């Protein structure tokens, strides 16, 4: 077994649910799968001395899970003051409408169509509910509407599906674009270099204790996959399905449909840059 401390980003051991930093607590949704890993991480963010909390990604439309999030906050002496979404995928956002009803809170997201009772989110926005400082960081690529949230007081960034706690994410072509994703990873790297971010609070999988290491691994992984796809095309593998079978042969076949979306994004990127 590989030592977790030696893996990129240093995944934190132990259970995923529970306190992660002084201001962040995870409630794990009961929706494990090859795509969602252990399930969706719903994050409760609050200043220690405040009675208001912000919830990021209430997760699937699962009544028991949504109530567990509310109860977990209440046990810590908090009530939900605002709901935020990292992106529109159902495993993160499907329960948002019902959660808003249960908590009587607004939902805010980059896509105005997902916002309920509140304004959309944009680059430079700062969430201050309950005295928090949560900075909105646009990180398109996984999807066009993907966001991260920088939590400066904890030296942490909540990454949704842009960086996972285990493995790598997909670029959900055609909504997601590889060039955008690479730019987003570089934006996150600047947070680790210039803004003191050391901890990744992902949308799936364990907390990562080495944010810079995780970002560098993701950038290197993408460069490696691009080179593999370019070589596969030069060897005569022309269709996305053929490239997946060649490049992702070691990956569980249940993940090949997701891999094909990433390959389509990679082929588009290589074509745009005149590399194939």
């Amino acid at each position: 077994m590989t030592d977790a401390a030696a893996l990129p980003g240093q995944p934190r051991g132990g259970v995923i649910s529970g306190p992660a930093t002084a201001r962040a607590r995870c409630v794990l949704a009961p929706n494990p799968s090859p795509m969602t890993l252990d399930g969706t991480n719903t994050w409760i963010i609050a200043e220690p001395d405040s009675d208001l909390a912000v919830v990021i990604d209430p997760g699937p439309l699962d009544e028991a899970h949504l109530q567990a999030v509310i109860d977990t906050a209440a046990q810590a002496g908090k009530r939900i003051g605002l709901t935020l979404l990292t992106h529109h995928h159902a495993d993160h956002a499907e329960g948002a409408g019902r959660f808003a009803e249960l908590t009587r809170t607004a939902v805010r997201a980059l896509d105005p169509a997902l916002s309920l009772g509140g304004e959309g989110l944009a680059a430079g926005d700062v969430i201050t509910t309950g005295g928090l400082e949560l900075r909105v960081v646009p990180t398109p690529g996984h999807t066009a509407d993907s966001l991260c949230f920088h939590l400066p007081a904890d030296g942490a960034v909540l990454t949704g599906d842009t960086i996972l706690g285990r493995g790598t994410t997909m670029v959900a072509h055609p909504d997601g674009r590889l060039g955008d994703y690479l730019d987003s990873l570089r934006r996150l790297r600047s947070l680790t270099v210039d803004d003191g971010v050391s901890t990744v609070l992902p949308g799936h999988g364990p907390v990562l204790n080495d944010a810079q290491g995780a970002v560098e691994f993701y950038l290197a992984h993408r460069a490696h996959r691009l080179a593999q796809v370019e070589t596969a095309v030069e060897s005569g593998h022309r269709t996305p399905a053929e490239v997946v079978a060649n490049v992702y042969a070691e990956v569980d076949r249940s993940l090949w449909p997701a891999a094909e979306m990433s390959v389509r994004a990679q082929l588009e990127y290589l074509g745009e840059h005149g590399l194939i």
Side-chain angles (χ1 to χ4, degrees):
M1 180 177 292
T2 303
D3 181 7
L7 294 173
Q10 297 179 14
R12 190 175 297 177
V15 297
I16 291 175
S17 280
T21 68
R23 292 164 180 80
R25 175 182 292 268
C26 178
V27 182
L28 181 64
N31 61 333
S33 75
M35 290 293 294
T36 61
L37 305 181
D38 310 88
T40 301
N41 294 338
T42 295
W43 290 100
I44 301 172
I45 313 295
E47 285 295 320
D49 59 354
S50 174
D51 65 351
L52 280 180
V54 172
V55 165
I56 297 176
D57 289 350
L61 184 53
D62 182 295
E63 198 80 13
H65 172 64
L66 300 179
Q67 191 59 53
V69 175
I70 296 169
D71 292 345
T72 299
Q75 290 164 9
K78 318 286 185 187
R79 62 183 176 85
I80 311 303
L82 179 65
T83 303
L84 303 175
L85 299 177
T86 60
H87 64 298
H88 70 273
H89 282 165
D91 57 312
H92 294 257
E94 183 186 36
R98 177 58 178 155
F99 192 70
E101 292 176 356
L102 292 170
T103 59
R104 299 181 180 179
T105 60
V107 177
R108 299 183 66 188
L110 180 63
D111 185 348
L114 297 175
S115 296
L116 301 170
E119 298 178 352
L121 295 170
D125 284 352
V126 180
I127 308 301
T128 57
T129 302
L132 277 172
E133 183 185 353
L134 266 177
R135 301 175 184 173
V136 176
V137 183
T139 49
H142 170 67
T143 62
D145 68 333
S146 287
L147 295 173
C148 293
F149 296 97
H150 178 200
L151 182 57
D154 286 349
V157 61
L158 295 110
T159 56
D161 282 358
T162 300
I163 293 180
L164 306 179
R166 186 169 67 249
T168 57
T169 196
M170 69 173 180
V171 177
H173 184 272
D175 181 36
R177 295 174 58 86
L178 182 57
D180 291 341
Y181 185 63
L182 295 174
D183 287 343
S184 293
L185 290 176
R186 296 182 189 109
R187 191 170 299 120
L188 291 176
R189 180 170 59 187
S190 74
L191 290 181
T192 71
V193 174
D194 301 326
D195 295 282
V197 167
S198 59
T199 302
V200 171
L201 306 177
H204 302 280
V207 171
L208 300 178
N209 292 327
D210 176 13
Q212 186 172 353
V215 175
E216 295 291 359
F217 169 74
Y218 265 58
L219 284 166
H221 172 77
R222 285 296 165 193
H224 178 62
R225 283 298 194 207
L226 268 176
Q228 288 181 308
V229 169
E230 186 177 1
T231 299
V233 171
E234 291 171 350
S235 300
H237 302 283
R238 297 298 181 183
T239 68
E242 289 172 347
V243 173
V244 168
N246 178 264
V247 173
Y248 290 81
E250 81 286 359
V251 174
D252 188 320
R253 282 178 175 255
S254 68
L255 297 175
W256 279 19
E260 184 167 327
M261 282 192 280
S262 285
V263 164
R264 289 181 182 275
Q266 291 161 340
L267 291 172
E268 178 183 69
Y269 179 89
L270 290 168
E272 289 173 347
H273 290 77
L275 298 174
I276 57 172

